[in-house]
Amino acid sequence: MEILMKIKKFRKEHNLTQKDMAEVLGYKTAKGYHDIECGRIKLKLEHLEKLSLKFSIPLEKFFIKNNQNSNL
């Protein structure tokens, strides 16, 4: 599963809106986050760092395929 799909999955699992996610990443509107989730804007490492803190998961979890190290 690609990183953007994982982020969307985590967002939905935590019942967060795109506006909530925008605030986590420092955007003023949901559109800024929406553009990241849709792949229109490149995701930056600093975004992943903020999201790993928000979701309380290790940064590596975004990069590991679902069938690898499922204990992370």
Side-chain angles (χ1 to χ4, degrees):
M1 182 184 306
E2 83 176 45
I3 293 173
L4 297 177
M5 292 176 71
K6 284 186 180 186
I7 292 170
K8 185 174 183 176
K9 178 180 170 251
F10 291 136
R11 175 176 68 81
K12 290 185 174 195
E13 286 175 354
H14 287 82
N15 297 314
L16 296 171
T17 65
Q18 288 186 345
K19 182 164 178 41
D20 295 330
M21 297 292 280
E23 290 172 4
V24 169
L25 298 180
Y27 288 94
K28 294 181 181 179
T29 66
K31 172 96 169 81
Y33 173 76
H34 173 76
D35 287 347
I36 290 174
E37 197 173 88
C38 291
R40 289 188 190 112
I41 294 177
K42 287 186 178 183
L43 186 65
K44 298 178 183 177
L45 180 58
E46 64 191 59
H47 293 149
L48 290 175
E49 290 170 340
K50 290 177 182 180
L51 294 174
S52 70
L53 291 173
K54 176 68 178 173
F55 297 133
S56 300
I57 59 171
L59 188 62
E60 296 83 14
K61 185 143 185 172
F62 293 110
F63 300 99
I64 296 173
K65 293 182 181 181
N66 285 344
N67 58 355
Q68 295 178 340
N69 298 329
S70 58
N71 59 344
L72 276 180

